[in-house]
Amino acid sequence: MQWLLTLESDRDPIVLCRLMNIFRRKGLDIETLALNAKAESYSLMAVVESPKTDVDHIFHFLRESSGVLSVAYYRHEPAQDASFIFVESAENPENIKRIQEAFPESKVVFASHGKYLVEIPSGLSSGAQFPGLEETGFLPLSRVRASQHHPQMELVGAASN
């Protein structure tokens, strides 16, 4: 099953090395990984493949890992149940613009080098139409759990309009 993990960590490269080792040891199959550096922390976003039965254990393990400040994970959902969309826009910069035009109230939660996590506040089930959501480059999601709520993450590498 596909999941999207986001986390913030101390700005210590050894924490990133530990995280990669945790992903390897816990059997997470990383499909996409994005990393941002801020003055005081690192932000990481990864689309991973993992059995549903392992996700709670991995969440708690990451949450309690030294140097990890916050963790959230999102489950791949059918489009009508989604309130977030992961957009891979590196090869097609129009993808993020299409989301913003279809959902003007949407907000970019995380951005790094053409990879975006976009919140659709009213959700996709509100009746708004977005043709092509099943195309490559879009992954509808719903948040399952978060260790700490960030009202607005500072975006690094986000394209400005």
Side-chain angles (χ1 to χ4, degrees):
M1 179 171 227
Q2 282 187 316
W3 305 85
L4 180 114
L5 291 170
T6 62
L7 61 86
E8 296 262 342
S9 73
D10 291 342
R11 187 155 166 121
D12 181 357
I14 196 69
V15 174
L16 297 176
C17 293
R18 286 186 190 129
L19 287 170
M20 292 303 111
N21 195 33
I22 290 168
F23 291 172
R24 181 188 60 80
R25 283 191 346 247
K26 299 295 181 183
L28 291 178
D29 182 20
I30 299 172
E31 295 179 13
T32 301
L33 180 75
L35 178 67
N36 288 328
K38 296 188 273 187
E40 70 284 349
S41 65
Y42 288 118
S43 298
L44 181 134
M45 178 171 59
V47 175
V48 299
E49 189 76 33
S50 177
K52 184 177 182 177
T53 55
D54 295 348
V55 174
D56 277 337
H57 168 71
I58 293 167
F59 171 78
H60 291 296
F61 194 88
L62 289 170
R63 183 176 61 99
E64 296 177 6
S65 295
S66 176
V68 174
L69 306 174
S70 66
V71 179
Y73 69 94
Y74 306 78
R75 177 180 47 231
H76 179 217
E77 292 286 350
Q80 68 271 13
D81 298 328
S83 54
F84 292 84
I85 302 173
F86 172 73
V87 182
E88 192 149 8
S89 188
E91 294 176 13
N92 183 358
E94 295 299 314
N95 283 348
I96 191 68
K97 290 179 184 172
R98 289 175 54 200
I99 292 281
Q100 291 171 330
E101 289 169 2
F103 305 98
E105 76 282 5
S106 66
K107 139 179 106 167
V108 176
V109 178
F110 191 104
S112 176
H113 308 289
K115 295 169 180 48
Y116 301 89
L117 178 61
V118 180
E119 182 177 11
I120 310 300
S122 58
L124 293 173
S125 60
S126 66
Q129 295 297 313
F130 184 76
L133 193 57
E134 65 284 340
E135 294 173 11
T136 302
F138 298 104
L139 183 64
L141 303 159
S142 66
R143 185 178 353 213
V144 177
R145 185 171 293 197
S147 66
Q148 182 177 342
H149 177 68
H150 288 284
Q152 180 62 39
M153 295 176 73
E154 178 184 334
L155 302 177
V156 179
S160 59
N161 293 7

